[in-house]
């Protein structure tokens, strides 16, 4: 386990530190190969299926990255990441990195894969595995502006609409991840620091949500209703974290959305900003639905699920406490980030 986790860290760090496309590609490959045993460790048919789907999409994306960077080296004669890319390989790289992160319209693998994993591996997949492609995407900006805007818009809309009818929490989190990445990509072409800020705030919010579901050992919306008997204090805090993911003030999740909308208006694309803001309402609806199921409904006792007994938990709750505080109370720091 430690070897795999260290390799996971190494792959991402290698991508961060590289200024050569081949090295960046190697970093992405190492982190993909390191997470695969973690994904299939439970030997459940669904986990194995999710791992296979993940491996195939990531390998395709990595091959596309390699192809685009060699094409770029062939056309321009250099391998440096920070150098201006040729238009054609740049568009190809954008699509490959979008496939790696799971941006719409190449997002179809993400909900399926996340649904087959346990919550801890799912957490690694939706936070840590997004970092390397995200930083690469930041480094090749600004490229094909209309393609980036298209990716961002479709991601926010798909992330809103896809999650509406879901009952599985992991799929809801996958669509929430797609929507958040859409917001980051929209602003990335104008201001990379702002996109990074959105990612930095998205990570503790997602971490808190995954850890809450893990503490309640629930994977569907229905089983959340029993959480009031198990962890009453946590159940009271959960809506704040979920609404922070939705981007309501005065919670932390409002800060990136507010600054992104401000930046988009400054760049004189009010229509894009309006559509993004409206798509945030779609996401807000299903966060509200989850928090309603968790805090305002009492679980029916004829469920054929196993009753979670009220035993003292052995898991450490300190990381969850820290991330919950971050995801609820970071908004007063907004002037400092500006």
């Amino acid at each position: 386990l430690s070897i795999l986790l260290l390799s996971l860290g190494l792959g991402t760090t290698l991508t961060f530190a590289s200024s050569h496309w081949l090295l960046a590609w190697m970093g992405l490959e190492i982190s993909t190969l390191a997470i695969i045993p973690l994904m299939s460790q439970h030997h459940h048919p669904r986990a194995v299926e999710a791992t296979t789907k993940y491996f195939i999409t990531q390998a395709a994306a990595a091959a596309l990255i390699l192809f685009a960077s060699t094409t770029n080296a062939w056309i321009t004669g250099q391998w440096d990441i920070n150098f201006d890319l040729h238009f054609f390989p740049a568009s190809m790289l954008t699509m490959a990195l979008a496939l790696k992160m799971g941006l719409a319209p190449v997002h179809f693998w993400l909900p399926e894969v996340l649904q087959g994993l346990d919550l801890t591996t799912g957490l690694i997949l939706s936070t840590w595995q997004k970092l390397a492609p995200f930083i690469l995407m930041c480094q090749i900006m600004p490229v094909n502006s209309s393609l980036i805007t298209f990716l961002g818009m479709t991601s926010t809309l798909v992330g809103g609409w896809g999650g509406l009818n879901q009952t599985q929490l992991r799929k809801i989190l996958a669509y929430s991840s797609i929507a958040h990445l859409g917001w980051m990509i929209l602003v990335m072409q104008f201001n990379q620091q702002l996109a990074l800020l959105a990612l930095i705030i998205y990570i503790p919010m997602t971490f808190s949500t995954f850890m809450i579901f893990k503490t309640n050992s629930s994977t569907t919306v229905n089983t959340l209703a029993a959480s009031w008997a198990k962890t009453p204090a946590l159940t009271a805090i959960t809506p704040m974290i979920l609404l922070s993911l939705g981007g309501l003030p005065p919670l932390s999740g409002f800060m990136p959305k507010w600054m992104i909308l401000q930046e988009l208006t400054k760049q004189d694309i009010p229509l894009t900003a309006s559509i993004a803001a409206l798509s945030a309402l779609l996401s807000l609806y299903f966060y509200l639905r989850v928090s309603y199921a968790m805090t305002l409904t009492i679980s029916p006792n004829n469920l054929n699920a196993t009753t979670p007994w009220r035993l003292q938990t052995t898991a450490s709750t300190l990381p969850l406490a820290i991330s919950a505080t971050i995801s609820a109370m970071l908004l007063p720091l907004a002037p400092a980030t500006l």
Side-chain angles (χ1 to χ4, degrees):
L1 187 65
S2 54
I3 287 180
L4 292 173
L5 288 173
L6 283 170
S7 308
L8 203 60
L10 169 76
T12 309
T13 321
L14 198 60
T15 311
F16 283 0
S18 61
S19 58
H20 189 289
W21 276 114
L22 268 182
L23 208 58
W25 169 79
M26 273 160 60
L28 291 169
E29 282 292 278
I30 291 172
S31 60
T32 303
L33 290 175
I35 201 175
I36 278 173
L38 292 175
M39 290 166 88
S40 60
Q41 62 185 335
H42 293 295
H43 300 301
H44 191 277
R46 282 194 185 169
V48 175
E49 183 189 348
T51 313
T52 314
K53 285 177 182 169
Y54 180 76
F55 175 71
I56 290 170
T57 47
Q58 297 297 307
L64 204 53
I65 289 171
L66 199 55
F67 178 55
S69 49
T70 38
T71 311
N72 185 58
W74 184 47
I75 296 171
T76 59
Q78 47 79 38
W79 283 93
D80 199 42
I81 290 181
N82 307 318
F83 196 76
D84 282 344
L85 291 161
H86 187 264
F87 179 78
F88 172 63
S91 308
M92 212 157 35
L93 268 166
T94 310
M95 284 315 288
L97 291 169
L99 179 58
K100 269 229 176 280
M101 285 191 284
L103 283 166
V106 283
H107 67 283
F108 294 98
W109 61 271
L110 184 60
E112 301 292 327
V113 167
L114 211 54
Q115 180 56 35
L117 305 178
D118 68 316
L119 290 165
T120 322
T121 324
L123 171 65
I124 296 177
L125 184 69
S126 43
T127 53
W128 184 258
Q129 289 296 85
K130 300 265 188 279
L131 290 174
F134 188 86
I135 298 293
L136 278 181
M137 194 79 118
C138 276
Q139 282 175 313
I140 62 172
M141 287 290 153
V143 287
N144 187 346
S145 173
S146 49
L147 175 66
I148 294 291
T149 311
F150 168 71
L151 283 172
M153 293 308 318
T154 42
S155 296
T156 50
L157 289 168
V158 162
W161 259 307
L164 287 184
N165 217 5
Q166 300 293 342
T167 54
Q168 298 286 341
L169 293 175
R170 286 167 293 189
K171 281 197 178 174
I172 287 181
L173 284 167
Y175 282 110
S176 130
S177 164
I178 294 168
H180 278 269
L181 278 169
W183 279 83
M184 295 169 210
I185 291 294
L186 268 180
V187 79
M188 199 188 271
Q189 47 186 331
F190 308 117
N191 190 338
Q192 283 92 31
Q193 285 80 17
L194 204 47
L196 203 57
L197 170 79
L199 182 70
I200 288 168
I201 289 182
Y202 162 76
I203 286 176
M205 294 193 296
T206 309
F207 178 81
S208 318
T209 320
F210 268 103
M211 292 315 274
I212 287 164
F213 295 159
K214 192 173 160 58
T215 312
N216 289 320
S217 60
S218 53
T219 52
T220 57
V221 174
N222 288 344
T223 47
L224 276 178
S227 64
W228 63 272
K230 206 177 169 193
T231 47
L234 188 58
T235 309
I237 299 168
T238 307
M240 297 220 303
I241 293 164
L242 287 164
L243 293 180
S244 180
L245 267 171
L248 282 193
L251 304 160
S252 317
F254 176 58
M255 174 165 49
K257 281 203 170 37
W258 166 40
M259 291 182 181
I260 286 171
L261 286 175
Q262 188 183 6
E263 181 67 36
L264 292 176
T265 340
K266 273 184 197 163
Q267 297 292 342
D268 203 27
I269 39 172
L271 181 65
T272 310
S274 312
I275 297 174
L278 286 172
S279 72
L281 288 175
L282 293 167
S283 303
L284 189 60
Y285 173 76
F286 60 79
Y287 296 129
L288 270 173
R289 198 168 133 235
V290 173
S291 44
Y292 173 78
M294 193 160 177
T295 51
L296 296 173
T297 53
I298 291 182
S299 134
N301 290 327
N302 54 2
L303 277 182
N304 45 14
T306 51
T307 314
W309 294 103
R310 280 197 258 177
L311 293 173
Q312 276 299 314
T313 173
T314 53
S316 160
T317 48
L318 182 66
L320 176 55
I322 294 169
S323 67
T325 313
I326 289 175
S327 34
M329 300 179 184
L330 222 56
L331 192 65
L333 292 180
T337 57
L338 284 169

